[in-house]
Amino acid sequence: MPMSVHRFHMTSDTFRPSLLVVLSAALYSISLSCDTFWFCSLFSLVPFLYVIERESTRPRVFIHGACWGVLATAGTSYWLFHALVVHYGKSVPFSFLFFFFLAALPMAILYGFLSSLYRLSDRRRYWFYCAVFPSLWVVSEIIREILPVFIPWGFAGYGAAGNILFAQIADIAGIYGLSFAAVLINALLFMFMTGINIVWDANPTRRWRTVSFPGSRHLIPIAISVFTVAVIFLYGSFRIYEWNNSTDLIPRGATTIGAVVVQGSHELRDRWDDRSFEIRLQTYLMLTEKALESPVAGVPGLIIWPETVLNSPRAFYPLALSRISKSVPAGSVLLSGGVRPSPGKKLYNSVIMIENAGISRWYDKNILLPFAEYRPFNSGLLGEFYNAPDRFSRGNTPGILENDYARIGVSICFESAYPRFIRRSVAGGAQLLVNVSNDAWFGRTSQPYQHHLMARVRSIENRRFTVRASNGGVSSIISPLGEIIAQTGLFERKAITGTVVCLDRKSVYTSYGDVVLLFPLAVLIISFCVNFLFSGRPE
C-alpha cells in the first residue's frame, strides 16, 4: 500500500490549532493546580509553540496567543468566578464580564504580543530556544508583577515547583529562575519534536506509525533538556542533604520556637456578623488553649490566627483584649489578622501582635487587592460583602514585627504572591515568615492549594521557616526546604503545632534579589538588535 511521509508540520485537518491551544492551556493549568502533575509544566507549552510557529500571518499568531492567555487564565483563576457568584451573589453574566475584562483580557493582550514578538525573532538557531524565548516568557511574568492590572499568579515556575527537588533552585534564581528553566525545557522539547518524521499508512485498516527518529542535529535539544533537568535535580538533592545534615545552616545557638496555627473555619457570612463575634472568639481561644498543651508548643511560642479574625470593633474593647492577652502565655506572642480602626475613620487590614500585656505592635497591609480592598478609579463594582468593608487604607508600616526573641516577616493574603515584597522583609532582618490569609472565598477549588504553593516557594527563595494561617485552609508550617511540617485540610476546624527556628543566614536570592533578571533583559536587547540591525526581517 502507498505510504506518505510527513514532517511534524501536519495540516490543520489533522491537528486544528484551536485544539492545540486548548490542550496547551489545559496542561499548563493542571501543572499549577496539582503537585502530582508538576511534570506537565515541562511540556505544556509545546502545543502552543507548534501553533504560533506554523501560522502564516501575524494577526492569527496574535489571536492564538490571546486565546492561550484567556484559556490559561480560566484554567488557573476560574475560582474568581466562583467567588463572584457564590459569595458576592453576582449574576452569571456580570461575573463572566468581570472575569473576562478584568482578568482574562489583560492576559490575552499580553500573550498576544508575546506570540507576535516570537514570530518577529530569528528562530533558526539554538540561541533562540535556549535563551530568547525563555527570556520573553520571564519578562511577561515580570510585567504581571509590576503592572497593577495584573496579579502575579500562575507563573510557569510554580508548576515546576510542585517537585521539591526542582524547586530548590529558587534560593538562587527565585520564581523567575524556575520559570526560565521550565520554559527552556519546553522550548527545547519543541525543537526536538520538529525533527520527528511520521509515516502514514493509506490503508484504512491501519493507523500510523513513526519510523524516522530525529537526526543528530535534533538530538541536541533533548540532550540539553536532560542535562538541564539533571543539574537542577542534583542541586536540589544536594541542598536537601545539606539542610538535613549540616550544622552550619541552622546554628546551635539559633532560637527555637514552638508554633501554634489555629484554623477556625467559620463561614464567610458568619465571620462578618458582629453578633456572633463572641462565639468565634471563643472557638479560637478554645483551640489555642488545647494546642498549647502540646509538648511541641514550648515557650517562647508563636500563636497565629488567620486574616480578619479580629474583624469586629468589639475585638478592641478592653474586656475582649483582656481575654485574648490572658490566653497568651508569658514569653509568647499572638499574631492575629484584624480590621484595625484608626483616627480619621480609616480602616486597615492588619496583623495585630498581642502579648500577655496587651497589643504591642501591628502591621498594616501594604499591597491591597483591587475591587475587594480598594476601588480602582473609585469604582465600586463589587460593593460590600455582607458587613465586610470593601475599602481599606493602604498601610506603610514595615513588614517586620519584632519582639524579644524574633524578627518576623509578616504578609497578609495575596502579598505572599509578590516575591520582591517578601524578600524585602527577609533582607531587612526577618528571621522567619508569617502569612495570614483568607482563601475561604474560593471554596474547594484549586486556589487554596495554588496560594499555599506560593508560600512554599517564598520559604525556599529566602530559606526561612513559614507559618501560615488561613481561615478555611490551607494552614501549615513550612520548612526552609518548602517541605510541610504540619498542615490542615480545607475547611477543617483545627489547630496544628510544630517547631520553627529563627535563622539569620541569607540565601543568594535574598542577598541579590532578582539580579538574574538582567540576563533575560540583556538577551532580549541583544537578540532584537542583532535581528533587526544585521539580519534583516527573518520572515
Side-chain angles (χ1 to χ4, degrees):
M1 298 296 293
M3 309 275 290
S4 58
V5 180
H6 297 275
R7 281 283 188 182
F8 187 65
H9 310 289
M10 302 173 199
T11 65
S12 59
D13 293 333
T14 306
F15 282 124
R16 296 189 180 278
S18 57
L19 294 179
L20 290 178
V21 171
V22 171
L23 174 62
S24 175
L27 291 171
Y28 188 88
S29 303
I30 289 171
S31 71
L32 287 160
S33 302
C34 181
D35 290 356
T36 304
F37 298 103
W38 70 272
F39 55 88
C40 292
S41 65
L42 304 184
F43 58 83
S44 61
L45 299 180
V46 172
F48 175 61
L49 284 169
Y50 168 73
V51 171
I52 61 176
E53 178 66 37
R54 71 175 296 278
E55 284 296 347
S56 57
T57 64
R58 286 174 184 158
R60 287 182 62 83
V61 169
F62 182 91
I63 290 171
H64 285 308
C67 289
W68 188 92
V70 170
L71 292 169
T73 304
T76 58
S77 305
Y78 67 93
W79 33 262
L80 177 59
F81 188 85
H82 173 278
L84 291 171
V85 173
V86 175
H87 294 301
Y88 274 98
K90 301 298 182 181
S91 67
V92 171
F94 173 89
S95 301
F96 174 80
L97 292 174
F98 184 97
F99 180 86
F100 179 79
F101 283 103
L102 296 177
L105 185 59
M107 289 282 285
I109 295 172
L110 178 64
Y111 285 95
F113 275 115
L114 181 144
S115 302
S116 299
L117 288 173
Y118 173 93
R119 287 300 296 266
L120 286 170
S121 304
D122 185 348
R123 306 180 301 282
R124 294 170 296 180
R125 297 176 176 87
Y126 289 113
W127 165 256
F128 177 81
Y129 293 99
C130 290
V132 179
F133 180 68
S135 298
L136 270 175
W137 197 276
V138 168
V139 168
S140 76
E141 293 185 344
I142 297 170
I143 291 172
R144 290 165 61 186
E145 182 182 358
I146 294 175
L147 294 186
V149 295
F150 299 98
I151 292 177
W153 196 272
F155 289 176
Y158 287 120
N163 182 281
I164 197 69
L165 293 177
F166 203 104
Q168 298 307 311
I169 63 169
D171 73 341
I172 296 176
I175 183 60
Y176 294 117
L178 281 169
S179 290
F180 188 96
V183 176
L184 166 66
I185 294 168
N186 273 273
L188 292 171
L189 287 178
F190 170 72
M191 282 194 71
F192 172 74
M193 292 294 290
T194 60
I196 295 179
N197 297 327
I198 299 180
V199 176
W200 298 90
D201 195 333
N203 187 336
T205 62
R206 292 197 291 267
R207 296 290 183 179
W208 55 267
R209 54 194 178 93
T210 58
V211 296
S212 180
F213 292 98
S216 58
R217 180 178 179 274
H218 288 89
L219 287 176
I220 295 176
I222 202 70
I224 297 174
S225 298
V226 172
F227 177 77
T228 301
V229 172
V231 169
I232 291 173
F233 273 46
L234 284 172
Y235 177 78
S237 300
F238 168 74
R239 294 299 283 167
I240 291 175
Y241 176 83
E242 184 183 29
W243 273 92
N244 290 332
N245 295 276
S246 176
T247 57
D248 295 334
L249 299 178
I250 302 181
R252 292 182 179 178
T255 302
T256 299
I257 300 172
V260 174
V261 184
V262 184
Q263 181 175 296
S265 193
H266 292 95
E267 292 292 332
L268 280 173
R269 289 187 179 274
D270 290 340
R271 289 199 308 104
W272 291 105
D273 187 346
D274 193 57
R275 295 168 299 180
S276 64
F277 172 74
E278 288 293 334
I279 298 174
R280 298 195 308 274
L281 178 59
Q282 184 59 37
T283 298
Y284 276 91
L285 291 174
M286 179 185 66
L287 289 172
T288 301
E289 181 181 2
K290 184 177 180 180
L292 287 172
E293 297 173 358
S294 167
V296 177
V299 177
L302 182 64
I303 305 165
I304 309 296
W305 292 357
E307 183 182 10
T308 64
V309 170
L310 305 181
N311 58 359
S312 169
R314 288 192 286 173
F316 299 92
Y317 291 173
L319 180 60
L321 278 177
S322 175
R323 290 176 59 197
I324 297 171
S325 60
K326 286 180 179 178
S327 71
V328 181
S332 297
V333 63
L334 165 67
L335 297 182
S336 174
V339 177
R340 188 180 72 84
S342 70
K345 297 183 178 180
K346 289 185 176 182
L347 285 178
Y348 293 95
N349 189 357
S350 305
V351 172
I352 315 296
M353 176 181 280
I354 302 176
E355 298 179 274
N356 192 254
I359 293 178
S360 58
R361 296 171 183 82
W362 57 81
Y363 161 74
D364 299 325
K365 191 175 184 183
N366 287 196
I367 304 174
L368 300 180
L369 196 63
F371 300 103
E373 294 179 318
Y374 77 94
R375 297 179 177 182
F377 313 110
N378 203 30
S379 171
L381 280 177
L382 297 184
E384 294 184 358
F385 171 79
Y386 204 42
N387 293 323
D390 67 334
R391 281 187 288 183
F392 289 96
S393 297
R394 191 182 304 275
N396 56 13
T397 51
I400 298 178
L401 293 178
E402 186 175 354
N403 59 13
D404 293 337
Y405 54 86
R407 295 187 298 277
I408 305 168
V410 183
S411 61
I412 300 176
C413 203
F414 279 82
E415 287 182 322
S416 64
Y418 292 82
R420 289 186 299 166
F421 177 79
I422 303 300
R423 174 197 162 266
R424 189 162 61 241
S425 68
V426 179
Q431 298 169 306
L432 61 93
L433 299 173
V434 166
N435 175 255
V436 298
S437 293
N438 176 25
D439 296 327
W441 297 97
F442 310 107
R444 295 183 183 277
T445 65
S446 61
Q447 191 276 349
Y449 300 104
Q450 293 174 335
H451 200 186
H452 183 241
L453 179 59
M454 290 182 174
R456 293 173 60 192
V457 174
R458 300 292 89 83
S459 278
I460 298 169
E461 286 173 339
N462 300 283
R463 294 303 182 192
R464 291 293 184 269
F465 285 87
T466 294
V467 185
R468 185 175 191 271
S470 181
N471 279 296
V474 176
S475 301
S476 64
I477 301 172
I478 306 168
S479 80
L481 297 172
E483 296 174 329
I484 307 301
I485 298 172
Q487 177 179 318
T488 67
L490 284 184
F491 301 103
E492 182 180 13
R493 183 166 292 177
K494 185 179 180 180
I496 56 175
T497 61
T499 300
V500 298
V501 182
C502 295
L503 300 173
D504 292 305
R505 182 169 176 171
K506 293 180 174 61
S507 68
V508 173
Y509 175 77
T510 302
S511 299
Y512 298 100
D514 291 313
V515 68
V516 295
L517 296 181
L518 295 176
F519 175 74
L521 292 173
V523 163
L524 292 182
I525 293 171
I526 294 171
S527 172
F528 285 111
C529 285
V530 170
N531 188 31
F532 289 103
L533 294 179
F534 300 101
S535 301
R537 299 178 69 86
E539 296 185 353

